Amino acid sequence: MMKSGFITTTLMKVFAACLMALPVLVMVSLIYPNPPSDRMEGFAAARISKGRAQNVTPVGVGLKDDSSPPSVNMPKDKLLGGLLHAGFDEGSCLSRYQSFLYRKNSPHRPSSYLLSRLRSYEDLHKRCGPHTKSYNKTVERLKSGHNNGPTECSYVVWLSFSGLGNRILTMASAFLYALLTNRVLLVDPGNDMANLFCEPFPETSWILPLDFTFKNQFNSFDQNSPHCYGNMLKNNIINTSTESLPSFLYLHLVHDYNEHDKQFFCDQDQTLLGKVPWLIIKTDNYFVPSLFLIPSFEKELGNLFPNKEFVFHHLGRYLFHPSNQVWGLITRYYQAYLAKADERIGIQIRNFDSGTGPFQYVMDQILACTLKEKLLPEVKKQESIVTPSKKQISKAVIMTSLISGYFENLRNMYWEHPTVTGEVIGVYQPSHEEYQQTEKQLHNRKAWTEMYLLSLTDVLVTSSWSTFGYVAQGLGGLKPWILYKPENRTAPDPPCHRAMSMEPCFHAPPFYDCKAKTGIDTGAVVRHVRHCEDMSWGLKLIDGHDEL
Ligand SMILES: *[C@@H]1O[C@H](CO)[C@@H](O)[C@H](O)[C@H]1NC(C)=O
Ligand SMILES: *[C@@H]1O[C@H](CO)[C@@H](O)[C@H](O)[C@H]1NC(C)=O
Ligand SMILES: *[C@@H]1O[C@H](CO)[C@@H](O)[C@H](O)[C@H]1NC(C)=O
C-alpha cells in the first residue's frame, strides 16, 4: 500500500488505514510535547522604516552563480517576486530581505492576484490588529458574550499545538483560511515559540495580546468544551438555522477530531462560521488540501493559486522569517559547511519505529535511494585514490536526524573510500538532540535552523510522514525523494520515490461528502487533490495539469 504511490483503495480500506494510523499520529505529536512553563516574550519586532528597504547590504555568500554578483538581481529578487512587503526595518529581521542570497531563485512566481490579496490583508491586519479601536470593540463583543450583527473585524486565533514542523504548517493553513474569509490571524505563541520568527505583517503584530480574554482557558479547550463547534453540533445546541450565535467558537481540528468537528469542511457550516467574529483553532495538521474541496472557496483559491502546487511555497516564504538569533545559526552553518560546495544535498531522517537506532535497514535504505537515484556517487572500495577526469566537483550533504549514527556512517564511507567519479563528498549534521530536550527554546531554534538549512539545498531526500521534511521542501520549492516508510524493519524496495509535488500532506483529512451526507474518497474528487505518496489516506495538492 505504501509503495504503490497511488492509491485506488476502497473507502473501507481508507477508513481502516485511518484507524491504524491514529496511534502513530499520537506518537508523532508526542515527540514534541508542549511543556507548561513561562509565557512568551514576543517575536522579533516588526518595526518599519519607510524607504530604507532598498539599501540592504548584501552578504555575498552562498550564491549559486558566482558570475552574477548579488547587486545585479537584488532589487527584483529581494522581495521574492513581490511576496514581501518592502517597508520593513531591515535590522530587526535580517532574514526577511537576505533569504534570496541563500536560496535559488524560485522559478515559481506568485500570481498578481495573490500579491494584491496579501497587500490588502496587510491593510486589514493593520486596521484590526491588537489594541486597535476595531480590535477593542470586537473584544468587547467577546466579553459580553452576545453576537449582535456583523463586526468591523473578525479573527482567527491560532493556538500553539504539537511539534514545530506541525506548527509552521498549521499557521500557514490558518493564514490561508483567514485570507479566504477576510479574517485577521492572531497567533498564541504558547510557551516555547519565543524568538523563532519575525513578525510577518508590517506595522502591526500577529501575536495575540497577553491580556486576551480567554488566554488562560486555551489549555482546557478540547472536543468536549462547551464552546467547541463540533460538540455544540453534536448536542444540538447550534445548527445552520440557529439565529443567535455565540461571539466565539472553538474549532477542534486535531487529528483525533470526530465527524461533528469535521463539519468545519462543509460549505453550509462555513456560512454559519462566517457570522462568528472569533474563531479559535487548534490543529496539528496542514488542512489546506480540504479547503480546496469546499465549493465556495474554489474560485478564490483558483485565482490565488493558478498552480496548486505552490500554496505552501508562497505562503511559507511570505510568513516565516527566522528571527535574527535563528538567522545567525543558519547563516554561520551555511557559510562554514555548505556555501563552497558545487551542489548541496539534504537528507532528512525520521524513523518512527521503536528503539533509538541507528538501524541497519534505515542505513541500507538511505544508501539504496541516494546511490540508485544517482544523488550521491558510489565508492571504490578496492582503490585508495581516484582522480577525476574533469574539474573536481564537491558536494555537501547535510543530514538531519535525532541521532548521529547515520551521519557518521555516511561520512566515514566517503572518508575511507574514494568516489568512483572522483567527486569530493562532505557530510555534515548540525545537531543530534537524541531524546533530551531540556532546553526547549534552544531545541526549537535548532529544529527551525535545520528545516531552513534543508530548504537551501539543491536536492532533498525526506522521510515519510515527517512535517519537518514538508516544511523544508515547501520553503525550498523542492520536490523531494521520499524514503518510503520501512515496514517490518526492512528497507523497502524501491527505497524511495520522487514526490508528485512539493506540497505538504494533510495527514487526517475528512472523508465526507457534505451534500450527500455520506462517506466518499476525498482523494478522488478533483484532479488537484490526491492521496499522498507517503501516507495513503492523506491528501495533498498537486498541479492540476500534471498527468496522473
Ligand atoms: C484599546 O484598549 C487598550 C486597553 O485594553 C488601550 O490601551 C488602547 O489604547 C485601546 N485602543 C484604542 C485605539 O483606543
Ligand atoms: C436548530 O437549533 C435550535 C436551537 O438553537 C433548535 O430549536 C432547532 O430545533 C434546531 N433545528 C434543527 C433542524 O435541528
Ligand atoms: C516480518 O518479519 C518477520 C521476521 O523477519 C517475519 O517472520 C514476518 O512474517 C514478517 N511480517 C510481515 C508482515 O512481513
Side-chain angles (χ1 to χ4, degrees):
M1 185 162 62
M2 281 298 169
K3 288 172 198 167
S4 65
F6 245 139
I7 303 95
T8 46
T9 5
T10 62
L11 199 59
M12 286 314 288
K13 275 188 190 158
V14 172
F15 281 131
C18 228
L19 288 177
M20 274 155 41
L22 271 183
V24 188
L25 286 171
V26 170
M27 195 192 79
V28 174
S29 54
L30 283 179
I31 291 170
Y32 287 101
N34 226 356
S37 67
D38 45 32
R39 284 268 133 202
M40 136 96 200
E41 298 298 322
F43 287 18
R47 279 177 290 123
I48 282 287
S49 74
K50 283 246 157 64
R52 274 190 53 200
Q54 301 306 316
N55 304 328
V56 66
T57 317
V59 280
V61 290
L63 289 158
K64 287 272 144 351
D65 183 0
D66 288 335
S67 61
S68 65
S71 52
V72 169
N73 50 15
M74 184 177 62
K76 191 176 83 215
D77 296 328
K78 198 174 97 162
L79 302 179
L80 310 181
L83 269 183
L84 305 184
H85 189 283
F88 284 93
D89 172 59
E90 311 253 358
S92 62
C93 179
L94 293 168
S95 68
R96 189 184 331 259
Y97 298 131
Q98 288 183 3
S99 70
F100 81 101
L101 297 169
Y102 293 84
R103 192 166 280 149
K104 255 193 299 200
N105 215 343
S106 174
H108 320 296
R109 293 187 75 79
S111 69
S112 55
Y113 185 68
L114 173 61
L115 300 184
S116 78
R117 288 290 285 115
L118 291 176
R119 297 295 90 81
S120 59
Y121 176 85
E122 287 159 1
D123 291 339
L124 178 75
H125 198 116
K126 212 169 110 186
R127 205 167 63 242
C128 299
H131 297 134
T132 55
K133 208 166 135 212
S134 308
Y135 171 88
N136 284 359
K137 263 171 131 177
T138 323
V139 166
E140 281 311 314
R141 188 72 72 84
L142 185 61
K143 285 181 184 158
S144 77
H146 298 301
N147 184 5
N148 26 19
T151 48
E152 244 175 88
C153 302
S154 51
Y155 299 85
V156 175
V157 176
W158 173 93
L159 300 188
S160 184
F161 183 67
S162 191
L164 185 61
N166 299 61
R167 292 189 206 182
I168 291 175
L169 299 177
T170 59
M171 277 192 272
S173 308
F175 176 67
L176 179 58
Y177 181 66
L179 206 59
L180 289 169
T181 54
N182 291 313
R183 289 172 181 274
V184 167
L185 171 67
L186 296 178
V187 306
D188 171 43
N191 309 312
D192 51 5
M193 295 257 289
N195 294 317
L196 290 177
F197 305 102
C198 304
E199 290 279 359
F201 313 123
E203 295 175 80
T204 179
S205 174
W206 70 339
I207 303 295
L208 187 74
L210 284 167
D211 61 7
F212 186 74
T213 313
F214 292 108
K215 219 166 150 64
N216 303 331
Q217 294 176 35
F218 286 165
N219 280 339
S220 66
F221 280 159
D222 65 18
Q223 248 170 333
N224 302 315
S225 303
H227 282 96
C228 176
Y229 179 55
N231 194 33
M232 292 175 88
L233 287 175
K234 189 171 121 199
N235 295 320
N236 268 321
I237 295 167
I238 205 170
N239 55 47
T240 42
S241 48
T242 306
E243 300 217 330
S244 104
L245 294 168
S247 52
F248 86 97
L249 283 171
Y250 163 67
L251 299 169
H252 187 80
L253 303 179
V254 179
H255 63 266
D256 66 357
Y257 59 168
N258 62 32
E259 73 215 79
H260 301 287
D261 302 314
K262 286 176 187 170
Q263 279 189 235
F264 169 76
F265 294 104
C266 293
D267 242 340
Q268 54 271 46
D269 298 75
Q270 282 302 326
T271 309
L272 180 156
L273 295 173
K275 297 173 195 154
V276 178
W278 294 93
L279 295 180
I280 299 172
I281 294 188
K282 190 199 279 183
T283 178
D284 52 1
N285 263 271
Y286 182 72
F287 60 77
V288 167
S290 290
L291 295 180
F292 277 77
L293 296 174
I294 300 178
S296 59
F297 293 155
E298 206 176 298
K299 188 157 173 287
E300 181 75 358
L301 284 169
N303 292 336
L304 289 168
F305 302 102
N307 187 324
K308 277 91 184 162
E309 187 182 344
F310 305 128
V311 177
F312 184 76
H313 180 58
H314 293 322
L315 296 183
R317 290 178 309 146
Y318 174 70
L319 289 172
F320 306 114
H321 306 286
S323 65
N324 284 353
Q325 250 170 330
V326 175
W327 192 236
L329 292 171
I330 292 167
T331 52
R332 283 189 295 276
Y333 199 92
Y334 189 92
Q335 287 158 12
Y337 303 110
L338 305 177
K340 292 173 201 83
D342 296 302
E343 189 178 304
R344 282 155 281 270
I345 296 149
I347 304 180
Q348 181 259 338
I349 301 301
R350 186 56 165 278
N351 187 265
F352 294 103
D353 290 335
S354 59
T356 50
F359 301 111
Q360 188 57 45
Y361 63 92
V362 175
M363 196 63 224
D364 292 344
Q365 187 184 8
I366 296 167
L367 288 176
C369 175
T370 51
L371 300 181
K372 179 171 162 280
E373 300 296 340
K374 306 216 178 309
L375 312 178
L376 287 173
E378 308 256 0
V379 293
K380 267 207 169 123
K381 296 225 158 123
Q382 316 327 327
E383 286 178 43
S384 40
I385 304 275
V386 171
T387 313
S389 51
K390 288 175 272 174
K391 175 183 173 280
Q392 188 159 55
I393 301 281
S394 73
K395 293 186 177 181
V397 180
I398 172 170
M399 288 188 87
T400 68
S401 165
L402 286 171
I403 57 172
S404 59
Y406 306 116
F407 148 72
E408 281 162 13
N409 199 310
L410 195 69
R411 182 198 56 188
N412 290 347
M413 183 179 104
Y414 285 115
W415 178 28
E416 290 163 10
H417 309 287
T419 60
V420 293
T421 52
E423 288 168 291
V424 175
I425 311 294
V427 186
Y428 311 98
Q429 177 165 325
S431 68
H432 49 96
E433 299 274 303
E434 312 292 338
Y435 289 102
Q436 300 143 18
Q437 294 162 35
T438 41
E439 228 224 285
K440 196 71 190 176
Q441 286 203 4
L442 186 60
H443 172 82
N444 274 340
R445 258 178 244 152
K446 285 186 174 169
W448 179 209
T449 298
E450 291 190 344
M451 281 183 252
Y452 204 96
L453 283 168
L454 287 172
S455 81
L456 301 179
T457 59
D458 305 298
V459 173
L460 187 59
V461 179
T462 61
S463 293
S464 288
W465 297 21
S466 172
T467 56
F468 206 96
Y470 296 160
V471 172
Q473 77 200 36
L475 291 178
L478 301 160
K479 272 188 204 175
W481 274 264
I482 304 175
L483 297 165
Y484 287 117
K485 209 173 156 296
E487 301 285 351
N488 207 16
R489 295 182 177 255
T490 42
D493 181 25
C496 60
H497 186 268
R498 190 87 193 259
M500 297 178 283
S501 85
M502 64 184 74
E503 273 286 296
C505 176
F506 180 5
H507 287 177
F511 297 103
Y512 186 67
D513 182 330
C514 300
K515 264 207 183 125
K517 297 196 191 311
T518 163
I520 49 158
D521 182 358
T522 40
V525 177
V526 294
R527 219 172 154 70
H528 51 272
V529 180
R530 293 280 141 178
H531 287 295
C532 311
E533 304 89 341
D534 60 333
M535 188 178 271
S536 56
W537 59 90
L539 293 184
K540 78 183 281 186
L541 291 165
I542 61 167
D543 179 4
H545 307 297
D546 271 359
E547 284 307 310
L548 293 174

